[in-house]
Amino acid sequence: MEKTVYKYLIRYSLPQQIWLTALAASSFPFLYAFYELPKRIINGAIQGDPEGFPVDLFGVRFDQTGYLFLLCTAFLILVLINQAFKYYINVYQGLTGERMLRRLRYQLFSRVLRFPQPTFKNMSQGEIIPMITSEVEPLGGFIGEAFALPAFQGGTLIVILAFLFYQNWIMAAAAVALYPIQLYLIPRLQMRVNALGKERVRLVRRLSDRIGEAVQGVPEVHIHDTSQFVLADFSDRLGSIFQVRYRIYRQKFVIKFINNFIQQLGPFFFYSLGGYLVIAGSLEMGTLVAAIAAHKDLGAPWKDLLAFYQRREDAKIKYEQVISQFEPVGMPDESMQTEEPESIDPLTGDLTAANLTLTDEVGDNVVDGVSLEIPMPSRIAIVGESGSGATELVQLLSRLLYPTRGGVSVGGLEFAGVPEAITGRRLAYVGQQGYVFAGSLGFNLFYGLKHRPMREFEYDDDAKSQRSWHENEAKAAGNTTLDIKADWVDMESAGADTPEALQAQGLRVLEMVGLDDEVYRWGLRGTVDPTARGDMTEAILRARSAFRERLADDEGMADLIEVFDRSAYNANATVGENLLFGNVVGDAFDMDRLGENPYVLEVLEKVGLTERILQIGYDTAATMVEIFADVPPDHELFQQYSFVSAEELGELQHRLTRIDRERVADLSAEERSHIMSLPFKLVPARHRLGMIDDDIQAKLLDAREVFARDLPEDASDSVEFLDLDTYASTANIQDNIIFGRVVYGRPEATDRVSALITEVVSELGLRDTVVEVGLRYDVGVSGSRLSSGQRQKLAIARGILKRPDILFLAEATAALDTASQGLIMSNLLEEFADRGLVWVLHKADLAREFDHVLVMRSGKIVEEGTFEELNRGGSYFRQLIDGA
C-alpha cells in the first residue's frame, strides 16, 4: 500500500479531488460579489444622493426604493448560490471520504486474510480490530476534504482579505497583523500534540490487547484469585493513557486560546482604527460596515484551515501507524486469493518437498531442510515428540505456512505460485483446535464449499434496483461486487447435484465423525416454519399421530405422558400454560409476569379467581421463603424446585415481613402484581404444594375458555393455541410430537420417552428431516455452545465434505475420547483409501494402519518406512511407542 495518506488519496480519488477543487474555485467570484454588495446597498441605495435617481439598469428605470430592493434581491440570490456551493461541496466531500474509508477498510481486512500465520503470534485481534474500525475512522473525513477544504476555505480567506485590502489597506493590515505569529506557533505546538497522539494510540492498542487476554483468561483469574492483580495492571494502563490524554488536552487548549485571542484583535482594530477614519472623513460608513461583516466571516475559514492542519497531521500519523502494521514480511500477493483458473483439475502425482525449511522469529529452524517424495494416493502417518516440527511440516505441505526456503509440489505443480482457488479446494487441513464460526451448524459444515457464487439470487424489481446501487457503490469503493445473498455452496465439490443430495452428504460425514446423534438431538429442540416447510410439518404431525398410537398400545408408556386436552387440566404444566393453552408469540404476554398483564387480570376477575390467585401467590411466596431462605442458590434443591431467583427470593422475604396473609389487599400495585405472578409458575405435579386443588383447576379451565373467547383482536396473534391436528410453529419438534408433558417423578421417564420418539421418527423415515433442522442449530460465538470435542468433530467433517485430494490432519483427534478417535480414524482410512491422507498422530502406535510412516525429531525426518519396518528394537520410532 502507499506509504503516505496523500499518495493513497491521489491514487484512488484524484478525479474527485480535482472536481472538488474546481468547484471551490468556481465559487469565489460569487463570494466576492456577496461581500461587495452590502457596501453598494448602504452607500448607493440607502445613503445614496436622491438626485442620482432614478437609475437605468438592464433597460429598466429604478427609483431609490426600487434600486434598494433590487440590490437586496441580488444579495438574497448570492446567499442561495453560495450556500448551494457549500452544500454540494460538503456532500460530495462526504461521499468521497466515505467511499475512500470503505476502500481502506476493505483493503486492510483483505490483507488480514493474507497475513502469514506467524504474524498472529505477535499481533492479536485486540490490536487488529480497532485499527480497521475506529483508528481509520477519521481518515474518511480527511480524505474527502484533503484538497477541497484548503482550496475552498483558503480561497475564501483570500477573497475576504482581498476585499478588506481593497477597502483600506491600513485597517486590513492591522486586523491580520498577528496571523503570521499564529502560522509560526500553531504548527510547533501541534507537533507536540501529534507526538502525544502517537503515544496514546500505542497505549490504547496495548490496552485492547490486555482486555482481550483478560476476557479469554477469566477462568484462570477465578481459579487463581488474581482479580486484584489484573485490576491493578488495568488501572496502571488506564493511568498511563489518562496522563497522555491530559497532556493532549492542555496542549490543545493552549492552541485554542492563542487562536481565539488573535481572532478577537480584528474587531478591536476595526472599531478603533476604522472608527477614527470614519470620523476623520477618510472612510465611508458603508465601507466600514462591509469590512466588519467581511472580517466577521474571516474567522470561520481561518479556524477551519487551522483545524484542517491539525486533522491532516493526525491523519498522517494514523495512516502511517496503521499501514506499518499491515505489511508483514512474507505476505502473499492479492492475486493468490482473487485469481480464478479456468478449470481446477484434481491434484495427481507424488507429493514432493525439496529442502523444506521453516525458521521462527528467533532464527531457529522449526523444520530443517526436509526433502521427501510421497506417492499419492497413500495414507501417511507422521509421528514425533512435541516440538519435533511434525505439525509445522504438515502446515507447510498444506500451504497453511509459507516456507523460509524450499518448496512443495504435487505431480510437478509447484505450490509457491498456485492461487488458493486450487489449494483451498483440492487440499484440506484440520489442526488440534478446529475453528468454528458464529452461525448455524450447517453454515460451518458447508463453509468449505463457499468459494465463489454458484447461482445468482433472484431479486424482485425494487430489490434489483437496490442491489444495482449497492454494486455500483462497491465498484466505486474498490470492493468486491460478489453478492453475499447468492448461493455460494459448490455442491459439485461435495459430490452432490441437488440440495437434497448435498444434505445427504453432510449427514454422511457427520456420521463419520460421530456427530450425527448430537445433531439429531438439536433438531428435536429446533422449530420449523409451517409456511416455508409445510411438507416437514405434515411429517411431524404424522409422527405425533404415530406417537399417540404407541402410547395407547403400551400402558406402561401411557402413564409417562400427560397429553394436552382442551377440556382437562394438565397437572404437569404450569398454571400459566394451562390458562393460555397455547404458546406465546411476541411480547404481549410474558409468562414470568402474567400477574401484571391487564387482560389476564381481567379474565381472572370474570371467573372470580382474582382474590384466590392473590392468596395463593402469598402462600407460595411464604412457602418459597420458608424452604429456600437458607439454601445456597447453587444447591441442587434450589436449582430443581425453586422457580424464583435468589435475588427475587430476597425481595419476597422483605415484603412478607411487612404484610401478613390477612392484609394482602394492602400491598402496593407493584407488589400485588409480583405476588400474583408467582402462582402462574406452579406445576402441581412437580411442586406438590397442594395449592392448586380441584376447585382451582376447574375455575382455571373456565378462565381458559374466557381467555380464548374474549381475546382482543389486536392480540389475537399473540397466542398460538394448541390443537391436536395443527402443528405448533412456536414449539420445538419434540414438543410437537409429544403434544403433552412428561410426567414428573417417574423413573427414567425422560429417557424412555426420548427412546420412543426416536423409534417413531426412524420408523417414519424422518431422522434426516430432524437432522436437517439440527443443522440450523446456532453454535454461538466461536462455537461457544458446542463442547471442544463437538467443535473438533465439526471441523473434521467440514474438511472431509469437500472431498480433498489430500487431507492433512495434525493431532486432530488428540483431545477426543478413545471411542471417537477409533471411529474417526477407521472411517477416514476407509474414506481416503484412494486419496491422500497425511496425519500427524499424537500416539506412535496408531500408525499401524497407515501405508507409510515418517518419524520426526528436531525438525528433521530421522526415520521412515512401514510400521513393521520401523517397529524394531533400537529404533527411535520404537522409543516413541514405548514412551507413549
Side-chain angles (χ1 to χ4, degrees):
M1 293 182 70
E2 286 64 27
K3 300 300 181 183
T4 68
V5 67
Y6 273 98
K7 288 182 179 180
Y8 184 81
L9 65 90
I10 287 174
R11 177 176 178 180
Y12 294 111
S13 66
L14 182 60
Q16 291 80 8
Q17 303 294 346
I18 293 174
W19 173 241
L20 284 167
T21 304
L23 285 173
S26 302
S27 69
F28 297 149
F30 299 97
L31 183 63
Y32 188 89
F34 174 77
Y35 290 117
E36 177 69 22
L37 202 54
K39 184 182 77 171
R40 293 181 178 270
I41 291 174
I42 295 173
N43 293 338
I46 298 176
Q47 294 184 338
D49 185 1
E51 299 297 328
F53 293 95
V55 295
D56 291 329
L57 289 174
F58 312 114
V60 180
R61 304 194 73 185
F62 294 90
D63 59 13
Q64 187 172 8
T65 302
Y67 185 60
L68 171 64
F69 283 106
L70 175 65
L71 294 182
C72 289
T73 301
F75 179 80
L76 181 61
I77 292 173
L78 287 173
V79 170
L80 292 173
I81 292 174
N82 283 304
Q83 292 304 313
F85 269 109
K86 287 183 179 180
Y87 172 80
Y88 184 84
I89 289 173
N90 287 331
V91 171
Y92 198 77
Q93 278 183 192
L95 176 64
T96 302
E98 288 302 315
R99 283 175 175 170
M100 290 293 287
L101 178 60
R102 178 178 176 178
R103 178 189 294 272
L104 179 59
R105 282 175 169 159
Y106 180 83
Q107 290 178 338
L108 293 178
F109 184 68
S110 68
R111 283 175 166 258
V112 172
L113 299 182
R114 290 183 281 126
F115 277 4
Q117 289 300 307
T119 304
F120 298 104
K121 294 180 180 179
N122 302 315
M123 184 185 298
S124 68
Q125 62 178 354
E127 295 176 283
I128 295 174
I129 293 172
M131 282 193 281
I132 297 179
T133 55
S134 58
E135 289 188 27
V136 300
E137 182 78 26
L139 294 179
F142 168 75
I143 290 173
E145 65 185 18
F147 290 102
L149 188 142
F152 184 71
Q153 300 297 352
T156 300
L157 189 67
I158 292 172
V159 169
I160 295 174
L161 288 175
F163 175 78
L164 291 176
F165 275 93
Y166 180 74
Q167 308 309 313
N168 187 287
W169 72 270
I170 297 176
M171 181 175 59
V176 298
L178 296 181
Y179 277 23
I181 298 177
Q182 274 183 290
L183 290 175
Y184 176 80
L185 286 178
I186 300 304
R188 283 158 178 76
L189 293 173
Q190 185 62 41
M191 288 176 64
R192 298 181 184 177
V193 174
N194 293 344
L196 291 171
K198 286 184 178 181
E199 179 66 10
R200 180 187 63 82
V201 170
R202 184 183 65 82
L203 292 173
V204 169
R205 284 182 187 170
R206 290 187 176 180
L207 181 68
S208 298
D209 189 35
R210 185 51 58 94
I211 292 172
E213 281 188 354
V215 170
Q216 292 181 340
V218 162
E220 299 300 318
V221 174
H222 290 314
I223 202 68
H224 298 297
D225 186 29
T226 58
S227 61
Q228 297 308 305
F229 173 78
V230 173
L231 288 172
D233 176 73
F234 190 72
S235 175
D236 182 70
R237 293 173 185 273
L238 289 178
S240 299
I241 295 173
F242 169 80
Q243 186 178 18
V244 172
R245 290 179 65 90
Y246 178 60
R247 292 174 62 190
I248 290 174
Y249 282 128
R250 286 167 51 191
Q251 293 287 342
K252 282 188 174 181
F253 282 111
V254 168
I255 295 173
K256 188 173 183 180
F257 171 80
I258 294 173
N259 286 337
N260 290 338
F261 175 75
I262 294 176
Q263 187 63 33
Q264 295 305 316
L265 289 177
F268 166 77
F269 286 116
F270 278 115
Y271 293 139
S272 57
L273 185 58
Y276 170 78
L277 293 175
V278 170
I279 293 173
S282 301
L283 190 68
E284 295 177 332
M285 177 60 72
T287 302
L288 177 60
V289 172
I292 291 174
H295 182 269
K296 183 180 178 181
D297 290 344
L298 185 67
W302 180 245
K303 285 184 177 180
D304 284 345
L305 286 172
L306 291 175
F308 170 77
Y309 175 79
Q310 294 176 347
R311 292 195 297 274
R312 187 192 71 174
E313 295 303 308
D314 286 342
K316 288 167 64 177
I317 293 171
K318 283 186 171 65
Y319 181 85
E320 291 168 7
Q321 283 187 324
V322 169
I323 296 306
S324 66
Q325 299 297 316
F326 284 79
E327 294 185 334
V329 177
M331 183 174 67
D333 188 74
E334 185 179 8
S335 62
M336 294 288 281
Q337 291 186 338
T338 58
E339 185 179 336
E340 181 72 13
E342 291 185 5
S343 62
I344 301 177
D345 299 322
L347 298 178
T348 58
D350 295 347
L351 173 62
T352 305
N355 193 31
L356 205 57
T357 303
L358 178 67
T359 305
D360 62 17
E361 59 271 12
V362 297
D364 295 333
N365 289 338
V366 181
V367 177
D368 191 1
V370 170
S371 296
L372 54 84
E373 185 171 350
I374 303 173
M376 288 290 162
S378 60
R379 299 168 298 181
I380 309 299
I382 303 179
V383 298
E385 293 180 334
S386 177
S388 64
T391 297
E392 289 79 6
L393 174 61
V394 167
Q395 290 177 337
L396 288 169
L397 294 175
S398 61
R399 219 192 52 180
L400 188 61
L401 290 177
Y402 293 91
T404 307
R405 293 186 301 275
V408 180
S409 64
V410 173
L413 178 65
E414 293 288 343
F415 281 3
V418 171
E420 286 187 3
I422 293 177
T423 58
R425 300 178 202 183
R426 306 315 310 172
L427 305 177
Y429 170 87
V430 183
Q432 195 168 2
Q433 295 180 333
Y435 189 79
V436 175
F437 297 90
S440 70
L441 187 137
F443 171 83
N444 279 278
L445 179 62
F446 301 123
Y447 183 82
L449 305 177
K450 299 180 179 183
H451 316 297
R452 298 291 188 277
M454 304 302 296
R455 288 158 291 278
E456 293 183 0
F457 184 81
E458 295 294 332
Y459 292 94
D460 57 30
D461 291 340
D462 292 338
K464 187 178 294 184
S465 174
Q466 186 73 4
R467 168 59 193 165
S468 177
W469 180 86
H470 279 288
E471 189 171 333
N472 291 333
E473 281 301 314
K475 288 180 181 177
N479 289 195
T480 180
T481 58
L482 299 178
D483 187 2
I484 192 61
K485 292 185 178 180
D487 184 357
W488 286 70
V489 177
D490 182 3
M491 293 188 291
E492 185 179 349
S493 293
D497 54 3
T498 64
E500 293 75 18
L502 177 65
Q503 180 177 313
Q505 286 288 75
L507 299 183
R508 185 180 72 86
V509 298
L510 290 175
E511 290 179 8
M512 288 178 62
V513 299
L515 197 58
D516 54 320
D517 285 341
E518 283 101 326
V519 178
Y520 168 75
R521 287 193 291 269
W522 293 326
L524 287 177
R525 298 201 297 267
T527 59
V528 179
D529 182 3
T531 59
R533 293 300 305 270
D535 59 329
M536 189 176 290
T537 57
E538 288 178 4
I540 295 170
L541 288 176
R542 291 198 301 272
R544 175 190 293 178
S545 178
F547 183 81
R548 291 174 66 86
E549 290 176 4
R550 294 290 293 272
L551 288 180
D553 295 339
D554 188 338
E555 294 182 1
M557 290 298 300
D559 292 338
L560 299 181
I561 297 291
E562 184 174 8
V563 297
F564 290 129
D565 184 345
R566 187 164 193 83
S567 61
Y569 188 91
N570 193 311
N572 289 278
T574 66
V575 171
E577 291 170 336
N578 272 281
L579 173 64
L580 271 61
F581 198 70
N583 299 312
V584 173
V585 180
D587 55 4
F589 296 97
D590 185 345
M591 294 300 289
D592 289 329
R593 306 174 71 176
L594 287 179
E596 301 177 15
N597 189 281
Y599 179 67
V600 171
L601 295 177
E602 179 185 333
V603 170
L604 294 179
E605 189 67 29
K606 287 180 179 179
V607 297
L609 267 179
T610 302
E611 294 305 319
R612 293 288 301 275
I613 291 294
L614 182 59
Q615 290 294 336
I616 292 173
Y618 181 89
D619 293 340
T620 301
T623 303
M624 296 293 290
V625 170
E626 181 181 355
I627 295 175
F628 298 109
D630 298 322
V631 178
D634 57 350
H635 193 278
E636 182 181 359
L637 181 66
F638 192 96
Q639 296 289 334
Q640 186 171 356
Y641 292 103
S642 177
F643 47 80
V644 297
S645 65
E647 183 180 350
E648 286 182 289
L649 192 65
E651 293 179 6
L652 290 175
Q653 190 171 14
H654 174 70
R655 286 169 180 168
L656 293 180
T657 58
R658 297 186 300 102
I659 302 293
D660 57 31
R661 195 174 192 279
E662 286 69 26
R663 296 169 53 212
V664 173
D666 296 337
L667 289 169
S668 67
E670 180 183 355
E671 293 173 328
R672 184 183 178 92
S673 297
H674 188 197
I675 292 295
M676 289 191 68
S677 293
L678 293 178
F680 291 103
K681 303 175 184 179
L682 285 173
V683 179
R686 178 186 180 188
H687 298 113
R688 303 182 184 279
L689 299 178
M691 298 180 186
I692 310 299
D693 55 25
D694 293 343
D695 182 48
I696 296 294
Q697 292 182 14
K699 285 187 174 296
L700 283 170
L701 290 178
D702 293 338
R704 176 189 294 177
E705 296 301 322
V706 173
F707 183 93
R709 183 192 66 206
D710 299 342
L711 187 64
E713 185 176 350
D714 59 355
S716 59
D717 295 332
S718 299
V719 178
E720 184 182 29
F721 293 108
L722 297 175
D723 180 30
L724 180 59
D725 299 321
T726 305
Y727 179 86
S729 61
T730 51
N732 61 44
I733 292 177
Q734 179 169 287
D735 286 347
N736 265 284
I737 294 175
I738 293 176
F739 197 71
R741 287 287 182 265
V742 178
V743 173
Y744 283 99
R746 297 297 178 88
E748 301 179 351
T750 301
D751 292 340
R752 293 174 64 188
V753 170
S754 296
L756 180 57
I757 292 174
T758 300
E759 287 180 18
V760 170
V761 167
S762 299
E763 288 175 3
L764 295 178
L766 297 179
R767 184 179 175 86
D768 288 355
T769 300
V770 175
V771 172
E772 179 183 348
V773 177
L775 291 176
R776 299 204 296 266
Y777 178 74
D778 186 356
V779 299
V781 178
S782 300
S784 58
R785 298 183 67 192
L786 304 180
S787 68
S788 59
Q790 289 169 341
R791 289 195 294 271
Q792 193 63 15
K793 290 178 180 179
L794 178 56
I796 297 172
R798 179 169 60 203
I800 301 170
L801 182 62
K802 68 178 184 179
R803 300 191 307 165
D805 297 320
I806 307 175
L807 173 63
F808 296 92
L809 300 171
E811 299 186 4
T813 62
L816 301 180
D817 59 89
T818 304
S820 295
Q821 290 180 17
L823 172 69
I824 294 174
M825 177 169 286
S826 173
N827 287 334
L828 287 185
L829 288 171
E830 180 181 350
E831 176 74 10
F832 285 85
D834 57 350
R835 286 180 283 160
L837 178 64
V838 181
W839 198 326
V840 177
L841 300 171
H842 61 286
K843 291 182 179 180
D845 60 348
L846 296 176
R848 189 181 305 273
E849 302 299 327
F850 287 78
D851 302 326
H852 198 74
V853 181
L854 304 177
V855 184
M856 292 201 66
R857 187 177 190 179
S858 301
K860 298 177 180 290
I861 296 177
V862 295
E863 295 175 354
E864 63 175 305
T866 64
F867 182 90
E868 290 74 16
E869 291 171 346
L870 297 177
N871 188 22
R872 66 183 188 278
S875 71
Y876 181 61
F877 179 70
R878 184 63 173 270
Q879 293 179 31
L880 292 175
I881 293 178
D882 293 341

